Amino acid sequence: MSDEAKRLEEAREQFVAQWGALGTQWGINRTMAQIHALLMTTAQPLGTDDVMEKLQISRGNAHTNLKELVAWGLVRVVVKKGERREFFEAEKDVWQIFTTVARERKRREIDPALGVLHQCAEDSRDMQTPEGKQFHEQMRQLEEFVGFASKVADRVAGMKHGFAIQLAAKMLG
Amino acid sequence: MSDEAKRLEEAREQFVAQWGALGTQWGINRTMAQIHALLMTTAQPLGTDDVMEKLQISRGNAHTNLKELVAWGLVRVVVKKGERREFFEAEKDVWQIFTTVARERKRREIDPALGVLHQCAEDSRDMQTPEGKQFHEQMRQLEEFVGFASKVADRVAGMKHGFAIQLAAKMLG
DNA sequence: TGACGCTTTCACTATTTTCTGAAAGTTCGA
DNA sequence: TCGAACTTTCAGAAAATAGTGAAAGCGTCA
C-alpha cells in the first residue's frame, strides 16, 4: 500500500471516530454516525461485511444502523447486478444532507412538541385566576413560536441550494 | 383547593411530563427538561425543596440540574432578602429562550464539528489519488457548510425579536 | 425439494447515563 | 467558635441505551 493510501486510511479513520463522538453529543447513536461518516467518505458502495470489518462491529449492529440510515434518507441501498447482497451508498451532497436531516428532525422533534403545546394551551384556555391565565399565555406563546419554527423548517428544507445561499448571503451581509 | 387550581395543577403536570419526554428525544436529560418546564410555568421562583417535591426527585439530582440550567442561561438564581437559601426562576420570554439555546447548541455542537472538519480537510489537502482528492473535497464542502451554519447561528442568536419576525415573514411570505 | 447466501430479528450482555442519599463543605449569626 | 441552614460533591445503585451473536426467515437456483 502506498504512503498516500495509508495516510488516507488514517484520515478517514480519524474522521469516522470523531464524527461518531460528535454524533453522540447530537443525540445520535455512535455507530450510526460512524457508518454515515464512513459511507460519506467512500466512493463506491459498501456491503454489510465491509462496514462490519472497517468499524469492528457485529452484523446485527451494522445491519440495524444501516437500515436506520436508510430510513433517515441519508443512505441508499444499491443493488449490483449479478450480486445478491445489498450495498450501501451515502448521499454526498452537503445541502441535500442538510435538508434531509432538517426534515427528519422537524418530524421527530418539532412536530411532537407542537402537539404537546397545543394540547396544554387548549386545556388552559378558559382559566380565570392570574396563575391560570399566565400558564395559558405561556403555552400559547410557546405554541406560536414552535409553530413558526415548524414553518421555517419546512421552507428551508424545501429550498434549492442556490436560493438558500442567496437568502443567507442577504442575512449575513 | 378550587376546581380551577386543581385543573391548573394537572395541566402543569401534563406539560412537565411531556416536555421531559421531548427533552429526552432532543438529547437533553429528562430531569433538566422537567425542571425547566416546571419553572417556566411557575410565576414565583422555587427553591430546591419545592422542585424536589414537585418532581419527586432527590436533592442531588435537583441541585445538579438546576445548576446545569443556570449554566445554560435558561434559569436565574434569585436571592430573597431575609432568606438564606437560593430560589430559581426561569426565563419566560420565548425568543430569549430560543436565542440562548441556539447560542449554547452552537457552542456545543457546531463549533466542535468545525474543528474536526477543518483538521480532516487540512490533513488531506495535498492528496493526489482520486480517492484522496475526493475525500479532501468532501471534507472541504462539509467544513464550508458547517462554517456557514455557524455564522447563521451567530446572526440569528444576536437578533432582536422584532427583526427576526420581519426576516421570517419575508422568508415565509 | 433443499441447501446456499444473505437479511432480519431478538434475547441476552455490556456500556453509558442518570439518580440517589449521605457525607462533606460553606456561610453566617449568636 | 459553634452550630444551624443550606449547598455541593460523589460513590455506588438503578435505569436506559447500545451492541452481540446466534437462530430464524427468505428467496433463488440446482
Side-chain angles (χ1 to χ4, degrees):
Chain A
M1 190 190 266
S2 76
D3 180 55
E4 186 177 310
K6 228 170 286 170
R7 284 211 302 126
L8 175 59
E9 259 341 278
E10 273 174 35
R12 202 204 307 281
E13 268 169 41
Q14 193 63 9
F15 175 61
V16 167
Q18 304 227 53
W19 201 249
L22 284 171
T24 302
Q25 287 196 307
W26 272 74
I28 288 165
N29 153 327
R30 187 203 266 27
T31 304
M32 187 170 146
Q34 286 183 339
I35 296 180
H36 186 222
L38 176 63
L39 255 29
M40 264 198 305
T41 58
T42 305
Q44 63 287 64
L46 299 182
T48 306
D49 294 76
D50 300 325
V51 173
M52 287 167 62
E53 197 208 340
K54 292 256 191 194
L55 302 182
Q56 294 289 301
I57 58 176
S58 73
R59 181 172 305 281
N61 194 11
H63 174 82
T64 306
N65 285 294
L66 278 165
K67 286 300 154 106
E68 188 69 8
L69 282 164
V70 171
W72 271 70
L74 292 170
V75 165
R76 282 181 293 278
V77 175
V78 176
V79 284
K80 292 189 184 176
K81 50 188 171 184
E83 281 273 17
R84 203 140 142 206
R85 66 207 160 107
E86 295 180 322
F87 288 81
F88 299 89
E89 177 183 57
E91 170 60 55
K92 295 196 179 58
D93 179 77
V94 176
W95 178 254
Q96 191 61 47
I97 293 171
F98 171 71
T99 56
T100 298
V101 171
R103 238 189 308 275
E104 202 67 12
R105 288 186 82 126
K106 169 184 177 287
R107 195 172 68 69
R108 297 178 187 220
E109 299 173 358
I110 296 187
D111 292 348
L114 209 47
V116 170
L117 291 168
H118 186 73
Q119 179 68 50
C120 290
E122 267 316 300
D123 290 353
S124 57
R125 173 176 296 295
D126 62 349
M127 291 189 177
Q128 298 298 323
T129 58
E131 270 261 283
K133 278 179 188 288
Q134 195 167 45
F135 179 87
H136 175 67
E137 184 58 14
Q138 186 72 33
M139 292 301 105
R140 218 190 46 67
Q141 284 181 16
L142 279 168
E143 184 188 355
E144 179 179 281
F145 181 78
V146 176
F148 177 68
S150 174
K151 281 194 193 127
V152 171
D154 276 342
R155 217 6 134 64
V156 171
M159 281 179 189
K160 289 278 170 282
H161 190 178
F163 184 59
I165 289 290
Q166 221 176 346
L167 175 72
K170 210 181 293 177
M171 208 170 109
L172 297 176
Chain B
M1 191 190 265
S2 76
D3 181 55
E4 185 177 313
K6 228 171 288 171
R7 285 211 302 127
L8 176 57
E9 261 340 279
E10 273 173 34
R12 203 204 306 282
E13 268 169 41
Q14 193 63 8
F15 175 61
V16 167
Q18 305 228 51
W19 201 248
L22 284 171
T24 301
Q25 288 197 305
W26 272 73
I28 287 164
N29 155 326
R30 187 202 264 31
T31 304
M32 187 170 148
Q34 286 183 338
I35 297 180
H36 187 223
L38 176 63
L39 256 28
M40 264 199 305
T41 57
T42 305
Q44 64 287 64
L46 300 182
T48 305
D49 295 76
D50 300 325
V51 173
M52 287 165 62
E53 196 208 339
K54 294 256 190 192
L55 302 183
Q56 295 289 303
I57 58 176
S58 73
R59 182 172 303 284
N61 195 10
H63 174 80
T64 305
N65 285 294
L66 279 165
K67 286 301 156 103
E68 188 69 7
L69 282 164
V70 171
W72 271 68
L74 292 169
V75 165
R76 280 182 293 279
V77 175
V78 176
V79 284
K80 291 188 184 175
K81 50 187 170 186
E83 282 274 19
R84 199 139 144 208
R85 65 207 162 105
E86 295 179 321
F87 288 80
F88 299 88
E89 178 183 56
E91 169 62 52
K92 295 197 179 56
D93 179 77
V94 176
W95 179 253
Q96 191 62 48
I97 293 170
F98 171 71
T99 56
T100 298
V101 171
R103 238 190 307 275
E104 201 67 14
R105 288 187 83 129
K106 170 184 177 286
R107 196 173 67 67
R108 299 180 186 220
E109 299 173 357
I110 298 187
D111 292 347
L114 209 47
V116 170
L117 292 169
H118 186 71
Q119 179 68 50
C120 291
E122 269 313 302
D123 292 352
S124 57
R125 173 176 294 296
D126 62 350
M127 292 186 176
Q128 298 299 322
T129 58
E131 271 262 281
K133 278 178 188 287
Q134 193 167 47
F135 179 86
H136 176 66
E137 184 57 16
Q138 186 71 34
M139 292 301 106
R140 218 190 48 65
Q141 283 180 17
L142 280 167
E143 184 188 355
E144 179 178 282
F145 181 79
V146 176
F148 177 68
S150 173
K151 281 194 193 128
V152 171
D154 277 341
R155 218 3 133 67
V156 171
M159 283 178 188
K160 289 278 169 281
H161 191 177
F163 185 57
I165 289 290
Q166 220 176 343
L167 176 71
K170 209 179 294 176
M171 208 169 109
L172 296 176

